[in-house]
């Protein structure tokens, strides 16, 4: 039976959800507090380029969008670590041919909105701020930000995909037995740019159409308590993000003048500085973004449900926020099919199946910041990763790296977290062996791994 759905939030997850619901034959309307980015333009400065991985691709593929999105994304096959002394170390993410994909948040969002509107028949309403939800009657109240006109909208079901600071979740917090927590990190982020390189010829410039550093890698400048990353864009530029403490040593509060910016980057990121001609302009024009983890439960109250960041906002260091949100939609779709589209049963199963996994990826993302910032540049940690991958290659059915489970497989996040914790004990033992750097791929290490796997799987 056709139902009427209101989705609040036209971001990535909301637009994908709309495509799924429309594909099932339902009537879908999306209400968004911002103006239409296709006319107003996408505002940069607060976006971290996104990394599409297996879970996200699976959700896009199910609605026939993977080919289209592949055209606006760039494969990144590993991390390129930039050490302070100017040397680099390349660390592959997985096996040959495996990659995560850099994609502009704005370009992806526009592509998804177009797909939902033009091919799925979804109705979009922009400049509409959700100010209240009546959960008993499933009515959402909107105020037009241009005209102040009030619009009550009645639906069979409401989905809130309105992000970490969800207006619907705020309303849901007033309902009985709703649990909510938010934790801000003591560090923030600022978006910067490495522009496209200009190719030269004897006849002059050939145009800004080249990548000045390795195109097919996620670049990291790890500096222990802070770091910078860079992801490639289609136009040859890189979107850089500086993550640093708000206060104290090497913090944002120490960088208050153009001279301080220059000195900070000359000291900490000298190789990048040479390729950032707009650094000072970018630094003072772009705001400092905050990083927050939000957890809540339940996600469903009567006929209203939270999805994506509205249900589980995570920090970006595993590149799984969007992928997790897309997987929410994919899992819900599978549950609906299995239940014969019994919505009450499906929504309940959805929230109970996804909640442990959302909590797990939130914790894994926080740990991955430590790995990227503090550990990725250390030879001992790089050796540990090499050993982990070597064991996984020899025992592919019984042992897998945490990164692969999260990024290249669809092992539930909670299960991946538990398996990795167990496997970490084996790696600890191996790293304690004498002269491990010289015999990391020896028969002794493989025998040790074989015995541990036999006893623990």
């Amino acid at each position: 039976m056709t139902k009427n759905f209101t989705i609040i939030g036209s971001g990535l997850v909301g637009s994908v959800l709309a495509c799924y619901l429309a594909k099932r034959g339902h009537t879908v309307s999306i209400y968004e507090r911002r103006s239409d980015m296709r006319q107003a333009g996408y505002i940069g400065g607060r976006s971290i380029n996104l990394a599409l991985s297996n879970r996200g691709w699976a959700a896009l593929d199910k609605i026939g969008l993977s080919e289209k999105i592949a055209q606006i994304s760039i494969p990144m096959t590993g991390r390129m670590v930039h050490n302070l002394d100017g040397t680099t170390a390349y660390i592959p993410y997985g096996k040959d041919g495996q990659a995560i994909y850099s994609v502009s948040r704005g370009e992806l969002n526009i592509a998804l909105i177009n797909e939902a509107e033009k091919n799925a028949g979804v109705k979009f309403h922009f400049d509409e701020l959700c100010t209240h939800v009546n959960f008993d009657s499933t009515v959402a109240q909107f105020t037009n930000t241009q005209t102040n006109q009030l619009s009550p909208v009645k639906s069979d079901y409401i989905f809130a995909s309105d992000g970490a600071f969800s207006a619907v979740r705020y309303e849901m917090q007033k309902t009985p037995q709703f649990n909510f927590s938010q934790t801000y990190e003591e560090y923030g982020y600022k978006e910067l740019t490495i522009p496209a390189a200009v190719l030269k010829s004897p006849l002059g410039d050939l145009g800004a159409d080249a990548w000045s550093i390795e195109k097919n890698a996620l670049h990291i400048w790890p500096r222990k308590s802070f770091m910078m990353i860079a992801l490639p864009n289609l136009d040859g530029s890189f979107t850089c993000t500086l993550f640093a403490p708000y206060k104290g040593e090497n913090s944002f509060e120490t960088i208050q003048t153009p001279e301080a910016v220059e000195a900070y980057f000359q000291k900490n990121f000298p190789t990048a500085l040479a390729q950032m001609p707009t650094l000072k302009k970018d630094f003072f024009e772009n705001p400092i973004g905050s990083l927050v983890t939000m957890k809540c439960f339940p996600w469903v109250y009567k006929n209203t449900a939270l999805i994506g960041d509205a249900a589980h906002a995570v920090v970006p260091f595993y590149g799984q926020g969007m992928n997790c949100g897309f997987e929410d939609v994919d899992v819900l779709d599978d549950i609906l099919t299995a239940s014969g589209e019994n919505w009450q049963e499906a929504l309940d199963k959805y929230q109970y199946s996804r909640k442990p996994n959302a909590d797990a990826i939130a914790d894994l993302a926080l740990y991955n910041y430590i790995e990227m910032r503090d550990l990725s540049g250390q030879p001992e940690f790089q050796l540990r990763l090499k050993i982990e991958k070597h064991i996984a290659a020899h025992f592919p059915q019984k042992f897998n790296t945490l990164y692969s489970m999260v990024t290249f497989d669809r092992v539930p996040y909670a299960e991946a977290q538990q398996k990795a914790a167990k496997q970490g004990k084996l790696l600890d033992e191996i790293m304690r062996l004498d002269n491990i750097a010289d015999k990391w791929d020896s028969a002794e290490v493989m025998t040790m791994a074989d015995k541990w796997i036999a006893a623990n799987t």
Side-chain angles (χ1 to χ4, degrees):
M1 181 185 294
T2 299
K3 297 188 183 299
N4 183 26
F5 287 85
T6 293
I7 297 175
I8 300 172
S10 69
L12 303 170
V13 174
S15 297
V16 167
L17 174 62
C19 292
Y20 270 73
L21 294 174
K23 187 179 178 183
R24 286 183 167 272
H26 299 300
T27 301
V28 185
S29 296
I30 293 185
Y31 290 78
E32 168 60 53
R33 65 178 177 82
R34 298 169 298 180
S35 298
D36 187 344
M37 65 170 62
R38 294 170 298 181
Q39 277 88 54
Y42 183 73
I43 299 172
R46 282 193 180 275
S47 68
I48 298 170
N49 263 40
L50 302 168
L52 258 170
S53 57
N54 187 273
R55 297 169 201 266
W57 284 118
L60 293 173
D61 193 51
K62 211 169 177 181
I63 50 175
L65 277 179
S66 53
E67 255 186 63
K68 186 177 291 186
I69 302 307
Q71 294 172 11
I72 60 169
S73 43
I74 298 174
M76 300 181 293
T77 55
R79 294 175 180 170
M80 185 67 77
V81 178
H82 295 256
N83 299 311
L84 189 56
D85 63 5
T87 60
T88 59
Y90 176 72
I91 306 172
Y93 279 131
K95 303 169 187 172
D96 286 347
Q98 288 184 324
I100 59 177
Y101 290 77
S102 174
V103 62
S104 157
R105 180 189 295 272
E107 288 185 50
L108 177 59
N109 207 160
I110 287 170
L112 295 175
I113 289 172
N114 284 337
E115 178 67 23
E117 184 177 66
K118 295 175 182 176
N119 296 329
V122 174
K123 301 296 182 185
F124 282 81
H125 306 267
F126 295 99
D127 302 306
E128 296 288 348
L129 175 66
C130 179
T131 53
H132 179 65
V133 178
N134 186 320
F135 298 106
D136 294 323
S137 59
T138 322
V139 171
Q141 180 79 43
F142 296 94
T143 300
N144 187 280
T145 59
Q146 305 297 317
T147 65
N148 288 324
Q149 182 177 342
L150 302 179
S151 302
V153 177
K154 166 73 176 168
S155 314
D156 293 315
Y157 290 92
I158 295 171
F159 273 98
S161 60
D162 51 340
F165 299 97
S166 167
V168 179
R169 191 191 60 235
Y170 178 74
E171 292 289 299
M172 207 177 275
Q173 285 173 235
K174 304 170 189 175
T175 62
Q177 296 181 310
F178 186 88
N179 294 304
F180 170 73
S181 69
Q182 68 178 29
T183 305
Y184 280 92
E185 301 308 315
E186 294 179 352
Y187 41 87
Y189 69 91
K190 187 178 284 282
E191 186 179 289
L192 305 166
T193 303
I194 293 176
V198 177
L199 295 178
K200 302 283 187 178
S201 82
L203 300 177
D205 292 350
L206 296 179
D209 57 0
W211 290 267
S212 56
I213 52 178
E214 171 58 43
K215 171 187 175 183
N216 298 116
L218 188 154
H219 295 263
I220 307 177
W221 290 259
R223 300 296 182 260
K224 299 218 171 156
S225 64
F226 61 110
M227 71 172 183
M228 186 171 72
I229 66 171
L231 279 73
N233 296 309
L234 292 173
D235 65 358
S237 67
F238 286 80
T239 298
C240 304
T241 311
L242 172 65
F243 297 95
Y246 288 110
K247 297 180 178 181
E249 188 178 5
N250 297 310
S251 67
F252 284 113
E253 75 169 359
T254 66
I255 319 171
Q256 299 296 323
T257 65
E259 294 75 20
V261 173
E262 177 89 20
Y264 185 92
F265 275 76
Q266 185 60 58
K267 177 183 176 183
N268 300 304
F269 311 109
T271 56
L273 175 62
Q275 301 173 77
M276 302 176 77
T278 61
L279 172 62
K280 294 171 188 175
K281 178 176 178 288
D282 294 339
F283 194 91
F284 290 106
E285 285 187 359
N286 292 338
I288 299 173
S290 60
L291 297 165
V292 63
T293 300
M294 292 184 178
K295 298 179 180 180
C296 68
F297 201 76
W299 296 356
V300 179
Y301 186 67
K302 299 190 176 177
N303 284 11
T304 299
L306 307 175
I307 197 162
D309 282 357
H312 49 73
V314 303
V315 294
F317 302 113
Y318 228 118
Q320 287 295 307
M322 170 190 62
N323 292 289
C324 182
F326 283 4
E327 191 175 55
D328 286 348
V329 179
D330 197 3
V331 168
L332 173 61
D333 187 65
D334 287 344
I335 293 170
L336 282 167
T337 298
S339 69
E341 206 157 310
N342 179 327
W343 274 93
Q344 292 308 115
E345 176 188 329
L347 287 175
D348 198 48
K349 285 185 177 178
Y350 150 75
Q351 65 173 341
Y352 279 99
S353 69
R354 292 302 289 161
K355 170 63 173 171
N357 293 306
D359 287 350
I361 194 57
D363 295 340
L364 288 170
L366 287 167
Y367 169 75
N368 213 44
Y369 181 49
I370 298 170
E371 178 177 313
M372 294 172 74
R373 180 195 70 191
D374 297 1
L375 304 177
S376 63
Q378 297 182 12
E380 184 175 331
F381 181 74
Q382 293 173 9
L383 175 61
R384 184 186 176 102
L385 288 183
K386 191 158 62 170
I387 294 169
E388 185 186 25
K389 290 176 184 176
H390 189 62
I391 295 171
H394 276 71
F395 304 98
Q397 304 304 318
K398 297 180 179 179
F399 188 101
N400 202 354
T401 69
L402 173 60
Y403 193 87
S404 288
M405 285 189 282
V406 169
T407 306
F408 301 124
D409 295 329
R410 297 191 64 192
V411 177
Y413 292 123
E415 183 181 331
Q417 184 183 38
Q418 291 163 6
K419 284 184 175 179
K422 287 178 65 178
Q423 291 174 181
K425 295 177 182 177
L426 167 63
L427 293 169
D428 289 342
E429 289 180 33
I430 292 172
M431 291 300 293
R432 285 194 289 266
L433 292 175
D434 291 337
N435 303 315
I436 184 57
D438 298 324
K439 60 182 181 183
W440 65 271
D441 58 349
S442 64
E444 179 187 354
V445 170
M446 288 299 101
T447 299
M448 195 171 168
D450 190 17
K451 288 180 180 178
W452 185 92
I453 289 168
N456 288 275
T457 58

